[in-house]
Amino acid sequence: MGIGSWFTKAHIAVYQKTDGKLGGNLFGNPILLLHSVGRKSGKAYISPLTYVQEGSDYVIIGSNGGQDRHPGWYYNLQAQPETAVQVNGELVPVLAHLAEGNKREMLWQKICSKHPQYPKYQAKTARPIPLFVLTPLS
């Protein structure tokens, strides 16, 4: 197991055990835990992700560190958009959709103003970094 995989598993465990009191903010970035199901494997996944709040919605960023491919959860959300996120101690059922057009541009500007790493990630790849809006199902 690589250091990144080990760190991610430890981060998820600590986040869940402490209801996000530890791991809910990493390097100044708010973190949620995205639950998704593998589109091919059917396996349950949990991904710690930076997010931005937009009203009652959560916006997650598919930067994949500026790599030329989308993160795995991107494809899982497209295949099964109804899922859940853990935000601190609360498990929230959500419906995911890809932000497009003017909405995406407005959200991208908001994200970049709060999180300076994202313009750097965008500069590393030719693909537009996708943004998913997660709307609570309540």
Side-chain angles (χ1 to χ4, degrees), residues 1-127:
M1 179 184 322
I3 187 111
S5 179
W6 177 88
F7 179 81
T8 299
K9 286 182 182 202
H11 184 192
I12 292 166
V14 168
Y15 189 113
Q16 289 178 321
K17 187 159 190 77
T18 67
D19 288 336
K21 290 178 185 70
L22 297 175
N25 192 297
L26 198 59
F27 308 113
N29 298 303
I31 305 293
L32 58 71
L33 299 180
L34 173 69
H35 294 252
S36 64
V37 175
R39 72 189 187 289
K40 293 180 184 175
S41 69
K43 180 180 173 186
Y45 291 97
I46 299 175
S47 305
L49 301 171
T50 299
Y51 72 95
V52 172
Q53 192 88 36
E54 180 65 19
S56 62
D57 294 341
Y58 305 97
V59 181
I60 55 174
I61 305 106
S63 67
N64 207 15
Q67 294 182 43
D68 286 330
R69 66 183 188 281
H70 296 308
W73 57 259
Y74 168 93
Y75 302 102
N76 297 343
L77 284 184
Q78 284 196 316
Q80 188 171 335
E82 193 169 321
T83 190
V85 292
Q86 181 178 345
V87 182
N88 300 316
E90 185 178 5
L91 189 63
V92 182
V94 294
L95 183 62
H97 70 274
L98 201 54
E100 298 178 307
N102 291 338
K103 176 76 170 179
R104 187 218 176 267
E105 189 56 35
M106 181 273 298
L107 291 170
W108 181 249
Q109 294 306 317
K110 181 176 182 175
I111 289 163
C112 291
S113 71
K114 293 182 178 194
H115 306 284
Q117 71 270 30
Y118 289 106
K120 294 174 187 171
Y121 294 155
Q122 184 61 78
K124 291 169 65 175
T125 183
R127 70 179 174 90

